[in-house]
Amino acid sequence: MLLVKNGRVIDPSNRLDDNLDILVDEGKIVEICRGGSEEDGVTQIIDARDKVVVPGLIDMHVHLREPGHEYKETIRTGCQAAASGGFTSITCMPNTNPVNDNQSVTDYILDRTRREGCVNVFPVGAITKGLRGKSLTAMGELKNAGVLAVSDDGRSVKNSELMRRGMEYARNFNLLVICHCEDLDLVADGVMNEGFTSTRLGLKRIPNAAEEVIIARDVLLAELTGCRVHIAHVSTEGSVRIIREAKSRGVKVTAETAPHYFSLSEEALESFDTNLKVNPPIRSVRDVTAIKEGLKDGTLDVIATDHAPHSLLEKDVEFDYASPGMVGLETALPLALQLVKEKVLSLPEVISKFTVNPAKILGISKGTLNQGADADITIIDVSLKKKVDVTRFKSKSRNSPFHGWELEGEAVCTVVGGRVVKEIDGVVV
Ligand code: DOR
């Protein structure tokens, strides 16, 4: 048995914020109780004094790159990066090679996870075969294989009629549709946000409308079809407004943003650091403010990383040619905790965006410290100060623009199904 004691336990699924002990046996939480627990039969004790103990964090937007691009990330290294960042469950996007558009690829990912993954992995299947936007995948087969959601993440389904049919089809299998929202014609060959900075730097621009047009469309299609949709990586003020309005009318829409959309603004690109090239692009200060407001009022339910590993081959090139994406698993939590310091969110609110909210959206029995739940637990030292050092990342890739940033707060211990996968230095006995 494992005992996590003396910690401040925050479990937003139970509105819990108290000093409590957690007893774990056979991978499940058997008891949560006030201090001084019986230690009979306990074989491992984690002293969480002065730490915050929360349900294992969930990242519902990760690119694991396996199969096909193992030089950027594998299931093994992606899971290690997740555990290091405090995540006990992740969903992985289907833009692998081959694409996860059929049962055999889903089987492969799940099999590999069983052999080599130290956290829970929930695969997302494709909406269209090969992500080509031409014909729908066999979603019943994908669902039976174990996918919880479908998405063409990395690109939008351009054809609105096909997207409508995809939503109808997904709805019939009770699959969530995760929408990557970018009008590819409006994006054209743009590489950064449209504004004063893009003009000054002479970089081709992507307007906010490129994202908002498709979010508006997908919200309307969700309303038409009754399908549950989740908008990925929201980055603009207008997107927040559209989602807020749709939610107020009862449309079944939820949404996420990523840490880089509330921690960075477009001026950062003056460095020409290609790690700042991401889809959708880093936006203006005004958008950043709106994203924070969306997080605060609940329009944005989830913080997800969009962990997108790329190697130097794709990043050590001119800005126009660099692949979009940045790794995020190992910096997401401290960046999100910054919102507590800024008084945008309370600590329990931040935790809810990494736990109960994604669990509910995905329909998984995670993100809670309920008695009987899987013992997925993250222990956080909210005042630990550290400089981000990409060379210490567990991820195979190093494409983070946060290298050298002084951040506060870190997951110091991660427990998955009762197994410690990241240890507090010297404190696990
Ligand atoms: O920047 C991004 N990179 N955005 C996406 O939507 C896809 C991702 C990738 O797969 O590299």
Side-chain angles (χ1 to χ4, degrees):
M1 277 197 289
L2 165 71
L3 178 66
V4 180
K5 66 176 197 181
N6 302 326
R8 173 183 168 195
V9 175
I10 299 181
D11 177 6
S13 78
N14 287 306
R15 293 180 181 278
L16 199 65
D17 184 350
D18 207 345
N19 285 328
L20 296 166
D21 290 355
I22 303 176
L23 195 61
V24 170
D25 194 22
E26 294 189 354
K28 303 279 181 197
I29 292 170
V30 289
E31 204 183 342
I32 293 211
C33 52
R34 212 153 283 285
S37 326
E38 191 61 56
E39 292 185 13
D40 273 3
V42 171
T43 50
Q44 195 178 16
I45 297 175
I46 299 173
D47 188 355
R49 192 176 298 274
D50 301 327
K51 313 268 188 311
V52 175
V53 181
V54 303
L57 307 184
I58 301 166
D59 186 354
M60 64 180 292
H61 197 139
V62 173
H63 297 272
L64 283 178
R65 307 297 191 212
E66 185 179 357
H69 301 116
E70 288 83 354
Y71 68 100
K72 301 185 189 197
E73 194 80 284
T74 61
I75 290 169
R76 181 200 286 265
T77 59
C79 286
Q80 286 167 345
S84 173
F87 293 96
T88 57
S89 294
I90 56 179
T91 60
C92 60
M93 289 298 166
N95 60 341
T96 47
N97 185 15
V99 168
N100 186 8
D101 60 5
N102 68 78
Q103 176 177 358
S104 65
V105 181
T106 306
D107 284 348
Y108 174 86
I109 295 168
L110 291 173
D111 183 55
R112 247 354 221 201
T113 302
R114 271 188 294 275
R115 286 165 200 252
E116 305 197 338
C118 61
V119 303
N120 307 295
V121 174
F122 297 96
V124 174
I127 299 172
T128 69
K129 288 184 188 155
L131 305 177
R132 282 188 292 272
K134 297 284 184 224
S135 56
L136 297 177
T137 54
M139 293 187 194
E141 173 191 298
L142 284 164
K143 166 112 185 179
N144 285 338
V147 312
L148 303 170
V150 287
S151 179
D152 270 9
D153 187 63
R155 52 190 299 128
S156 286
V157 177
K158 187 170 175 177
N159 180 325
S160 305
E161 162 66 9
L162 191 66
M163 190 60 166
R164 173 197 177 157
R165 284 196 285 114
M167 285 192 194
E168 285 171 345
Y169 199 27
R171 181 201 60 205
N172 292 344
F173 293 108
N174 193 23
L175 281 167
L176 176 73
V177 172
I178 301 176
C179 304
H180 175 109
C181 298
E182 258 189 321
D183 182 307
L184 297 173
D185 297 312
L186 276 173
V187 170
D189 51 0
V191 294
M192 76 166 287
N193 187 50
E194 174 171 331
F196 180 67
T197 309
S198 62
T199 306
R200 224 167 70 75
L201 299 182
L203 289 174
K204 294 190 193 102
R205 80 290 183 276
I206 303 172
N208 285 17
E211 177 174 317
E212 294 154 3
V213 162
I214 302 293
I215 293 186
R217 179 200 73 170
D218 286 354
V219 158
L220 292 171
L221 291 179
E223 196 169 9
L224 177 67
T225 61
C227 180
R228 288 185 301 127
V229 304
H230 176 78
I231 310 296
H233 41 52
V234 172
S235 74
T236 78
E237 181 185 26
S239 302
V240 175
R241 193 172 55 236
I242 294 164
I243 297 163
R244 185 181 288 131
E245 189 268 347
K247 281 187 165 189
S248 75
R249 285 187 301 108
V251 181
K252 288 188 221 156
V253 57
T254 54
E256 73 189 30
T257 190
H260 39 278
Y261 299 119
F262 56 75
S263 307
L264 294 163
S265 60
E266 59 188 351
E267 294 76 17
L269 275 78
E270 295 189 3
S271 65
F272 286 99
D273 178 0
T274 55
N275 293 320
L276 291 159
K277 185 173 173 186
V278 63
N279 269 351
I282 304 298
R283 302 287 187 180
S284 67
V285 172
R286 185 177 167 144
D287 292 304
V288 171
T289 305
I291 292 294
K292 289 180 183 172
E293 278 163 12
L295 284 165
K296 198 177 176 60
D297 73 8
T299 302
L300 302 174
D301 309 82
V302 166
I303 300 173
T305 64
D306 196 4
H307 178 83
H310 290 294
S311 78
L312 275 182
L313 284 176
E314 290 94 17
K315 284 295 194 182
D316 198 9
V317 293
E318 294 92 323
F319 208 89
D320 282 353
Y321 300 115
S323 296
M326 63 175 82
V327 288
L329 283 165
E330 292 169 88
T331 47
L333 181 62
L335 288 169
L337 289 174
Q338 187 61 31
L339 297 173
V340 180
K341 276 194 130 179
E342 291 175 22
K343 300 202 182 330
V344 174
L345 297 177
S346 68
L347 182 55
E349 282 169 341
V350 168
I351 301 306
S352 68
K353 301 208 187 268
F354 282 115
T355 56
V356 59
N357 294 1
K360 274 196 184 148
I361 292 165
L362 292 165
I364 53 175
S365 53
K366 299 278 183 191
T368 177
L369 295 174
N370 276 342
Q371 214 175 5
D374 293 340
D376 294 351
I377 301 168
T378 301
I379 303 175
I380 303 166
D381 183 341
V382 289
S383 48
L384 185 68
K385 286 197 175 112
K386 259 202 179 167
K387 221 180 198 171
V388 177
D389 180 355
V390 296
T391 64
R392 297 175 72 96
F393 279 178
K394 302 282 184 213
S395 171
K396 237 185 195 186
S397 291
R398 304 271 179 264
N399 52 311
S400 169
F402 299 110
H403 180 66
W405 280 39
E406 188 91 46
L407 296 178
E408 196 170 329
E410 189 179 78
V412 289
C413 180
T414 312
V415 178
V416 179
R419 194 166 82 87
V420 178
V421 295
K422 178 183 183 176
E423 292 188 359
I424 299 186
D425 297 330
V427 182
V428 177
V429 290

